[in-house]
Amino acid sequence: MRTEEPRAIRLKDYRAPDYKVSKISLDFVLSPEATRVTALMTVARTGVLAPLVLDGEHLKLVSVALDGRVLGTEDYAVDAETLTIDKVPEHFTLEIVTEIAPAKNTSLEGLYLAKGIFCTQCEAEGFRRITYFLDRPDVLAVYTTRIEADKALCPVLLSNGNPIAGGELPGGRHFAVWHDPFPKPCYLFALVAGDLGVITDHFITMSGRKVDLRIFVEHGNEPKVLYAMDSLKRAMKWDEEKYGREYDLDIFMIVAVSAFNFGAMENKGLNIFNDKVLLASPETATDDDYAHIEAVVAHEYFHNWTGDRITCRDWFQLSLKEGLTVFRDQSFSADQRSAGVKRIEDVRLLRLRQFQEDGGPLAHPVQPQSYITIDNFYTATVYEKGAEVIRMLKTLVGEDGYRKATDLYFERHDGQAATVEDWVRCFEDTSGRDLSQFRLWYVQAGTPVIEARGAYDPGQKTYALTLKQSLAPTPGQPVKKPMHIPVRLGLLGKAGRALPLTLEGENAQGPEERVLELTDAEQTFTFVGVDEAPLLSVGRGFSVPATFKVTQSGWERAALMAHDPDSFNRWEAGQTAARTTMLDAISGKVSGPDPLYVEAVGEVLARAKDDMAFAANMLTPPLESEMAMAMTVVDPDAIHAARLTLIRAIAAAHGEKFAALYDSLSATGTFSPDAASAGRRALRNACLRYLTAADDDKAAALAAAHYEAATNMTDMIAGLATLTRMVSPRADAAFAHFYNRFAKDPLVIDKWMGLQAGSSRPDTVERVRTLMGHAAFDIKNPNRVRALVGAFSGNQLRFHAADGRGYALVGETIRTLDKINAMVAARMAGAFETWRRFDDGRQALMRHELETMAKTPGISSNLFEVATKMLG
Ligand code: PHE
Ligand code: ZN
């Protein structure tokens, strides 16, 4: 039980380590209940005399020897978190023997056993659950790892680096030795041992070296990693071409495990994946799953340079590796697929998760300034907003300038534990620009609001655009300074003609699109030679993670939807139009959906086949959760009703067009997960949404037929998702059929659970409770919990049911889970992040859940930190 308030760790208190470990040899004798770990390290003092304090938790200490001499208990002190040796020489070796129980480890940090496979997770602070060490990212050592285990149970023995030895041992045991020549922090250490199947391939690097590629999976799953292997090779090639980065070891390995706290982990040469983001087959994976696998495989691979070769000095620099690596994987996916559609998807996610975070009690800067538990800072702000900050840097210095800056970064900091400051300085040094104001993006939390007001002077033919920025206070940051903001924009004339953008004082005619740099609280930019009153298209490509406020008429929005050359802003105009008409309906301003918008959707349908994935996005009105972000006091029932009404009005107006389009897009030929085929499926399934808008028996019949005719998981899920809206025997039959077909595949059963948890049916909360008792549900497996309870907490209508039963279910689950896996419990608690944005009744109910968590005896510091911050 916690006896004192957990202590906050602050960036401003950073001190270089007193000791360095240059080499470490680890020896693991594996066994589920008592694994013996012997760590032999070469240590040197960096400065003045100071006690050696090593981190260690949940360890059974067996022995300590300094320079070969076994220490007595009087020579050191051990508490729950540290091992301290007061007097040590300047250079010495330390041999520490510990014992751990992987089978009992439910936290999934350190060494744990999942479905018979030993596996590690050390980021951020899991290594201290393996042995006593300086568990901080700025201590870089060369690792040699020997693993010994029963050969029948664990024929495969893996660690970082290259394999250097192995052999048989008496008693049916065997061993393997791995050596990683690249110094690394301990959070990148990994070990895997078990009975695994493998698929192998290879890659020839840009300098002609051959790298063995291996993906390890549970036996039988081999065919399901072919897509991941293909993604890996494409990612390796892309990193060579776009960043000049070559892979550095002789072998690169990926392992899929079934129990994992996050998506995947970039351990040097041995990436470990949640099997959810690695395994795919047409029968079991949706198009979104394929895209996600491609992105995560690339993400972890890219970390080899942005994370492993150059790591973080301390955890406040987390975005140095994560923001950058997300930006890299987003760029990769954009190049592999449709860049425009990828941008829409990324922005959608950013707004839903990061804007939400930025506007609530957990708001923090991309570079947090303090934390209690670092696990709580693997956030949308550090990841997704961090990526946006890098995108803006690229916008400011241009494509070539960006490459120069990253080249310098890799050259200057290879082998180091670096800081965000080091990164920004590379941009300054290569571009000659002063980025001191830009640095505020790393330290100021919150989403800027940018108001844009244009004034056209027909006599002078000038258009004066005034941009005004503001940034609301966030916890701990009452006053903000103006930011350095790149605003990409264009002006449209009649029928969508692009007008040249010539700023006052410029001699030559300007381009049709440009980036303005807003640095003051308010600035006016005057364009000259503007022959007609223009239509403003601002924030193109979402050039800044901000909210734009522009006064626009319905007519102007419809014109942008139809003609803006920037596909992002075409989509944005449609979203704004849909949101506006729904908000007007909710506030009682209008009686029916805006006819201009409904008509504009008809135009989208007419041109849908030009870019089907894009059209599918255009046809998806803001989600209920996206609508919530636009309301001062969220009314989940009104939002749900308004969205249904809008969809029904669109369906009524364009029913025949939807039907014709739906029929013309029927699946043909064999399945391919490529972007074009996925786009076709997405568009057809978007049509299905409208064709079933009535939610009556005819709709249920169409959905059931869609489900039955489906030849791939994407279409099956689309049929099922439609049926979740309906109380119908057809829905029950389809769900039963699906369950029977996939009962043996946990990842597919997760989808089955998730769909039921996301249902708008009034009995959803009871159904979720019942499913928690299902044999396939396991609270110890994060995928299962996220698929069922996590999905339910994202069901705005039912989670936020006014009777509070949804809150109670989620609150209860979080408290139970906290004792098993605190990291995942604390993340799930994010479901309550928006509690202050609801009416008094719901606020009281959610507050009660948070208070109950905070008061729970023995609560983890992870959950304590988020619950108390949310209560604020
Ligand atoms: N570093 C991992 C990634 O983003 C995320 C992760 C963090 C995984 C902590 C496990 C534990 O690639
Ligand atoms: Zn990452």
Side-chain angles (χ1 to χ4, degrees):
M1 195 195 287
R2 255 177 344 93
T3 46
E4 41 185 327
E5 293 283 282
R7 193 171 51 89
I9 301 177
R10 289 172 212 290
L11 170 56
K12 65 173 170 44
D13 296 336
Y14 172 82
R15 276 181 53 243
D18 293 325
Y19 292 88
K20 294 213 153 139
V21 182
S22 54
K23 274 199 302 192
I24 175 165
S25 293
L26 288 162
D27 189 319
F28 289 84
V29 180
L30 293 176
S31 115
E33 303 290 333
T35 289
R36 184 161 283 232
V37 185
T38 305
L40 176 62
M41 37 200 149
T42 306
V43 193
R45 199 161 67 220
T46 58
V48 292
L49 206 69
L52 173 72
V53 185
L54 302 179
D55 305 293
E57 287 172 13
H58 307 279
L59 299 172
K60 189 163 139 196
L61 180 61
V62 178
S63 66
V64 189
L66 199 152
D67 284 332
R69 185 179 69 87
V70 176
L71 301 187
T73 46
E74 67 287 356
D75 298 323
Y76 58 86
V78 182
D79 63 22
E81 292 172 2
T82 55
L83 184 159
T84 305
I85 308 178
D86 269 334
K87 277 197 271 328
V88 290
E90 208 172 322
H91 296 272
F92 57 98
T93 64
L94 199 62
E95 187 180 74
I96 297 178
V97 181
T98 49
E99 199 184 279
I100 49 184
K104 295 210 179 85
N105 183 352
T106 59
S107 71
L108 313 185
E109 292 174 86
L111 179 66
Y112 63 95
L113 199 60
K115 274 209 191 165
I117 295 163
F118 288 92
C119 113
T120 56
Q121 173 51 48
C122 294
E123 186 177 8
E125 298 180 333
F127 194 74
R128 62 186 64 185
R129 290 167 179 252
I130 292 173
T131 187
Y132 288 97
F133 196 69
L134 293 166
D135 190 352
R136 45 186 291 167
D138 56 354
V139 172
L140 276 56
V142 170
Y143 283 66
T144 305
T145 307
R146 181 182 177 282
I147 312 164
E148 180 187 322
D150 183 278
K151 193 171 178 183
L153 293 176
C154 297
V156 174
L157 305 173
L158 310 175
S159 190
N160 317 89
N162 299 313
I164 55 168
E168 309 291 317
L169 294 167
R173 296 181 71 80
H174 73 153
F175 75 97
V177 184
W178 293 79
H179 177 73
D180 179 4
F182 295 96
K184 64 168 175 284
C186 65
Y187 82 84
L188 291 172
F189 168 78
L191 172 156
V192 173
D195 187 3
L196 293 161
V198 65
I199 72 153
T200 51
D201 205 330
H202 69 270
F203 179 79
I204 309 288
T205 70
M206 59 206 255
S207 71
R209 278 189 315 104
K210 183 172 173 217
V211 179
D212 282 329
L213 307 177
R214 300 205 182 142
I215 304 185
F216 295 88
V217 286
E218 252 174 53
H219 289 289
N221 278 339
E222 292 86 346
K224 289 192 181 170
V225 292
L226 295 173
Y227 187 73
M229 184 64 96
D230 178 59
S231 303
L232 172 63
K233 290 192 285 185
R234 285 184 280 121
M236 293 178 87
K237 185 104 190 99
W238 187 89
D239 212 17
E240 292 185 343
E241 285 167 2
K242 299 294 160 119
Y243 282 85
R245 296 301 103 202
E246 184 175 2
Y247 186 64
D248 46 13
L249 292 163
D250 302 335
I251 179 166
F252 183 79
M253 299 175 286
I254 296 179
V255 184
V257 300
S258 56
F260 201 76
N261 282 346
F262 288 87
M265 179 64 209
E266 71 264 24
N267 316 298
K268 180 79 188 186
L270 179 57
N271 291 354
I272 298 182
F273 273 61
N274 185 329
D275 57 6
K276 179 176 165 47
V277 290
L278 200 71
L279 305 180
S281 70
E283 298 73 45
T284 59
T286 62
D287 291 323
D288 288 347
D289 291 331
Y290 277 97
H292 199 195
I293 289 166
E294 178 183 79
V296 182
V297 167
H299 179 98
E300 305 310 331
Y301 173 73
F302 295 156
H303 266 314
N304 189 56
W305 274 95
T306 53
D308 299 1
R309 288 286 286 257
I310 304 178
T311 191
C312 301
R313 185 193 73 174
D314 55 72
W315 293 120
F316 297 102
Q317 321 298 328
L318 185 55
S319 197
L320 175 72
K321 75 176 177 83
E322 294 304 348
L324 175 54
T325 306
V326 170
F327 179 64
R328 277 150 58 67
D329 84 56
Q330 289 178 347
S331 312
F332 168 72
S333 295
D335 283 354
Q336 305 289 308
R337 292 158 180 265
S338 152
V341 171
K342 175 67 178 153
R343 189 65 186 135
I344 290 169
E345 290 164 355
D346 289 343
V347 172
R348 205 161 203 164
L349 191 87
L350 179 85
R351 283 184 175 148
L352 258 179
R353 306 236 321 271
Q354 201 280 323
F355 281 24
Q356 186 108 285
E357 190 162 82
D358 244 355
L362 299 178
H364 56 276
V366 171
Q367 183 179 53
Q369 305 294 301
S370 84
Y371 60 76
I372 292 176
T373 309
I374 187 57
D375 304 335
N376 287 333
F377 284 84
Y378 287 78
T379 60
T381 299
V382 168
Y383 276 66
E384 272 77 30
K385 186 176 180 181
E388 293 298 321
V389 171
I390 289 166
R391 188 180 294 267
M392 286 190 284
L393 275 172
K394 186 171 178 182
T395 301
L396 290 174
V397 302
E399 188 95 32
D400 294 345
Y402 179 74
R403 179 65 190 263
K404 283 201 189 85
T406 59
D407 281 351
L408 176 63
Y409 176 68
F410 292 123
E411 186 196 312
R412 193 185 267 177
H413 297 291
D414 186 13
Q416 294 178 7
T419 61
V420 164
E421 179 54 28
D422 293 329
W423 163 258
V424 178
R425 198 166 305 121
C426 289
F427 280 79
E428 289 189 319
D429 290 353
T430 46
S431 70
R433 298 194 52 155
D434 175 1
L435 296 170
S436 39
Q437 188 184 7
F438 187 84
R439 284 179 175 77
L440 289 172
W441 279 107
Y442 285 101
V443 294
Q444 288 195 149
T447 306
V449 173
I450 304 168
E451 250 179 83
R453 242 178 322 105
Y456 182 62
D457 181 336
Q460 301 291 319
K461 301 219 173 301
T462 58
Y463 178 76
L465 176 66
T466 302
L467 297 173
K468 210 165 130 183
Q469 59 164 309
S470 61
L471 187 51
T474 49
Q477 297 188 335
V479 194
K480 313 272 185 163
K481 295 188 188 128
M483 309 267 253
H484 185 169
I485 293 177
V487 179
R488 190 183 294 279
L489 82 171
L491 294 178
L492 301 192
K494 281 188 203 74
R497 184 172 67 102
L499 304 176
L501 303 173
T502 315
L503 280 170
E504 210 171 22
E506 290 177 344
N507 297 321
Q509 192 178 63
E512 290 176 353
E513 177 174 283
R514 60 195 296 168
V515 176
L516 301 177
E517 294 187 26
L518 173 64
T519 50
D520 296 345
E522 181 171 339
Q523 262 166 280
T524 299
F525 301 85
T526 305
F527 295 99
V528 295
V530 184
D531 338 307
E532 53 176 303
L535 185 54
L536 174 66
S537 165
V538 70
R540 282 186 172 173
F542 199 69
S543 66
V544 48
T547 304
F548 278 94
K549 287 230 162 98
V550 194
T551 316
Q552 264 167 352
S553 67
W555 179 86
E556 286 172 315
R557 273 183 223 114
L560 287 173
M561 255 177 98
H563 301 300
D564 199 316
D566 183 71
S567 66
F568 177 81
N569 268 10
R570 280 207 301 285
W571 172 78
E572 181 82 322
Q575 293 289 298
T576 309
R579 187 169 58 240
T580 308
T581 187
M582 285 190 268
L583 289 174
D584 286 349
I586 292 170
S587 65
K589 252 202 235 162
V590 294
S591 57
D594 177 7
L596 270 172
Y597 173 68
V598 175
E599 197 186 310
V601 172
E603 295 293 309
V604 172
L605 282 170
R607 284 178 294 147
K609 286 197 174 167
D610 298 351
D611 183 343
M612 299 197 251
F614 178 72
N617 274 287
M618 288 297 280
L619 292 173
T620 310
L623 306 176
E624 291 178 28
S625 45
E626 291 173 310
M627 286 304 297
M629 299 185 64
M631 290 187 78
T632 331
V633 179
V634 183
D635 183 341
D637 302 298
I639 290 173
H640 182 72
R643 196 168 184 275
L644 277 185
T645 306
L646 178 63
I647 287 174
R648 286 178 182 161
I650 294 171
H654 305 298
E656 279 162 27
K657 284 188 201 147
F658 278 115
L661 192 54
Y662 177 84
D663 289 337
S664 74
L665 293 170
S666 296
T668 45
T670 52
F671 176 85
S672 161
D674 69 88
S677 313
R680 188 183 177 90
R681 286 186 282 273
L683 180 57
R684 183 159 177 268
N685 290 331
C687 293
L688 178 70
R689 176 67 190 85
Y690 290 93
L691 292 171
T692 56
D695 293 343
D696 55 9
D697 193 57
K698 220 174 119 211
L702 177 60
H706 186 93
Y707 170 79
E708 282 156 23
T711 56
N712 57 72
M713 184 53 78
T714 303
D715 292 336
M716 289 185 105
I717 293 283
L720 285 180
T722 306
L723 289 165
T724 59
R725 300 199 307 268
M726 303 168 193
V727 182
S728 151
R730 294 184 199 276
D732 300 339
F735 271 87
H737 172 268
F738 189 86
Y739 179 78
N740 290 330
R741 174 157 170 201
F742 296 109
K744 288 201 181 69
D745 190 330
L747 293 174
V748 185
I749 295 306
D750 283 351
K751 297 182 196 295
W752 179 81
M753 296 226 181
L755 283 166
Q756 298 179 71
S759 165
S760 55
R761 287 171 51 154
D763 60 349
T764 296
V765 68
E766 285 85 32
R767 287 160 50 109
V768 171
R769 249 185 217 285
T770 309
L771 286 170
M772 286 178 73
H774 193 285
F777 184 78
D778 174 6
I779 198 164
K780 291 200 177 107
N781 186 307
N783 285 355
R784 304 296 94 82
V785 179
R786 285 186 284 245
L788 184 58
V789 188
F792 176 69
S793 69
N795 178 345
Q796 181 164 287
L797 182 67
R798 294 305 164 202
F799 171 60
H800 288 287
D803 61 15
R805 283 186 306 158
Y807 301 145
L809 174 68
V810 175
E812 208 179 292
T813 309
I814 290 169
R815 295 195 302 275
T816 310
L817 185 60
D818 189 48
K819 299 190 178 69
I820 296 165
N821 186 327
M823 203 192 274
V824 174
R827 284 178 90 76
M828 291 229 352
F832 294 98
E833 181 178 29
T834 54
W835 70 280
R836 280 187 204 277
R837 308 209 26 251
F838 287 78
D839 55 83
D840 292 345
R842 288 181 170 92
Q843 277 198 32
L845 291 163
M846 282 190 268
R847 175 205 285 272
H848 172 74
E849 291 303 327
L850 288 169
E851 284 171 351
T852 311
M853 279 176 221
K855 284 194 311 235
T856 303
I859 186 181
S860 68
S861 48
N862 299 58
L863 186 55
F864 178 82
E865 178 174 29
V866 293
T868 51
K869 280 184 178 165
M870 283 192 270
L871 285 165

